[in-house]
Amino acid sequence: MAVIIVVTCSVAFFLFLLAANFITPEKKLDRKIEHRYAISDPQFQREMSVLMGPPIVPGNHVTAYQNGAEIFPAMLDAIRSAQTSITFETYIYWSGEIGQVFTDALAERAAAGIVVHVTIDWVGSIKMEQALLDQMEAAGVHLQRYRPLHWYNIQRLNNRTHRKLLVVDGKTGFTGGVGIADVWQGEATDPEHWRDSHFRIDGPAVAQFQAAFNDNWIKITGEVLNGSVYFPPLRPVGEMDAHLFIASPAGGSESMHLMFLMAIAAAEHSIDLAAAYFVPDELIIGALVAARDRLVELRILVPGPYIDSAAVRLRSKADWGPLLTAGVEIYEYQPTMLHTKLLVIDNAFISIGSTNFDIRSLRLNDEASLNIYDRDFAQQMTAVFEKDITRSKRYSLYMWQHRPLADKLAEKLLWPIKSQL
């Protein structure tokens, strides 16, 4: 009898810890943000600076790279040229050709005496062979895996670092949607190679990238990375205003949610959104519909026939009705998996980084987003967005109304786990 009681209590405790992963943070936005000013109004930047955390800083330059054929060489060139330090945090790091190339480059720099710190998410690196980890550590890389599974932290299993941050010599930063895996190689010309964007930034805002890396490094190790090796003086190198801010359940996850809501509420002319995983909550849907009520032209680009999560596709479409009815244009990318994260508003504001338009990114993951306030760069990103639309098919209200009954049933069955998708 005593054994049965112990087993029952143990199972109940395990289920309680597992269920805790379905609970989003207590702090939660629940009110609509009204349209009070435009993106071009100085008040918008003023509030984004004080409400989002790091202030907007001038003097930056951002370079956009498309697909692995451009992205990986740019990142590897920066790593191989490092003279003082490398800090690198990523979600996906898998074994394979590109995984080996990055491991070789990081290990070579560490062996050459450059201080190298790497944070890899435990879940995101499940497909990473131990040999790659051993190679880096043997070369002197300071390597940490974020929140490996233990019985005592199973209630935090759902809180992953989804950030994608690379900082070289404290002067050059990278962020975007790309992980370290062979699916990102090439030119996204077939279903085995994903479509994505990544970005290099030079200028004063790079210090915010380094601070963002420090955030999780401190959580894991208790060590602060400071000094001129990590935070050298940074001079203006361009004319772009930008800031990078982070979000996590431990540090107030609603900041990312608030940022998107504030930006959408300020839109007056156009919103272009490319979202690899588009599972918005009621507030985001309401904000997008309200933007259409203000006659804002609104285009959303999502994955089409190729996506790595059928559940995301099904649950996402459940919420398209009000958007399509309001006149939102929704396009499904056809050639391969679309993994891009891009938001462009009123040809003046751009948000890029690791954050998806889903509840997991807004409330459960550790994320980092770079906001840029520059009309020339906005035009450049709009051109990229429109090129992707030419490879997409528009999804109509009629198609949504006549989607298969099996899909509608699956959407309802997936509703309880919407926050996990």
Side-chain angles (χ1 to χ4, degrees), residues 155-190:
Q155 81 279 10
R156 302 296 296 276
L157 178 64
N158 228 351
N159 176 208
R160 313 313 315 170
T161 179
H162 193 247
R163 297 171 186 167
K164 297 167 181 69
L165 302 168
L166 171 64
V167 183
V168 176
D169 294 341
K171 298 177 180 179
T172 299
F174 287 84
T175 192
V178 163
I180 309 304
D182 288 346
V183 292
W184 276 283
Q185 291 209 81
E187 293 282 7
T189 54
D190 58 77

Side-chain angles (χ1 to χ4, degrees), residues 175-412:
T175 192
V178 163
I180 309 304
D182 288 346
V183 292
W184 276 283
Q185 291 209 81
E187 293 282 7
T189 54
D190 58 77
E192 284 70 45
H193 297 94
W194 293 0
R195 166 78 185 98
D196 216 333
S197 300
H198 220 71
F199 304 85
R200 169 176 171 154
I201 183 168
D202 297 277
V206 175
Q208 297 175 354
F209 278 61
Q210 197 72 284
F213 179 87
N214 245 315
D215 177 65
N216 275 340
W217 191 261
I218 293 169
K219 290 179 190 175
I220 300 168
T221 68
E223 176 189 12
V224 178
L225 306 180
N226 63 347
S228 60
V229 168
Y230 304 101
F231 293 97
L234 296 174
R235 297 178 179 177
V237 296
E239 298 181 354
M240 297 183 186
D241 294 345
H243 63 153
L244 181 124
F245 61 95
I246 58 177
S248 69
S253 64
E254 287 294 271
S255 61
M256 201 68 71
H257 197 195
L258 175 60
M259 183 274 287
F260 284 138
L261 289 169
M262 287 177 59
I264 294 168
E268 291 194 334
H269 304 291
S270 63
I271 298 174
D272 287 333
L273 169 65
Y277 308 100
F278 182 68
V279 189
D281 67 354
E282 291 77 9
L283 277 179
I284 293 288
I285 294 171
L288 294 171
V289 170
R292 279 297 303 142
D293 291 342
R294 299 192 303 274
L295 303 181
V296 174
E297 295 183 5
L298 212 164
R299 300 182 293 183
I300 298 175
L301 179 63
V302 297
Y306 303 104
I307 188 170
D308 62 340
S309 174
V312 168
R313 181 208 306 279
L314 287 167
R315 184 55 227 173
S316 175
K317 285 188 176 179
D319 298 322
W320 290 7
L323 299 173
L324 292 165
T325 300
V328 175
E329 298 177 17
I330 299 180
Y331 297 87
E332 294 183 310
Y333 191 74
Q334 297 298 303
T336 184
M337 167 70 181
L338 176 85
H339 199 258
T340 307
K341 301 100 168 60
L342 173 67
L343 177 65
V344 184
I345 298 181
D346 286 356
N347 200 31
F349 168 84
I350 312 97
S351 186
I352 53 180
S354 64
T355 311
N356 292 307
F357 247 72
D358 60 8
I359 299 173
R360 168 168 289 281
S361 272
L362 298 180
R363 294 186 184 147
L364 295 175
N365 286 343
D366 294 358
E367 301 284 6
S369 283
L370 174 66
N371 287 351
I372 305 158
Y373 306 80
D374 184 85
R375 290 191 174 276
D376 290 340
F377 191 70
Q379 289 180 354
Q380 181 184 340
M381 290 301 96
T382 298
V384 170
F385 183 89
E386 291 181 340
K387 183 177 180 180
D388 284 338
I389 281 184
T390 66
R391 299 169 180 169
S392 306
K393 290 183 179 179
R394 186 168 175 179
Y395 190 92
S396 68
L397 178 60
Y398 178 87
M399 294 168 66
W400 184 81
Q401 291 171 335
H402 294 85
R403 67 198 188 281
L405 182 61
D407 288 0
K408 295 179 182 179
L409 177 60
E411 292 165 7
K412 293 185 183 300

Side-chain angles (χ1 to χ4, degrees), residues 45 89 173 223 265:
Q45 288 198 29
E89 180 172 346
E223 176 189 12

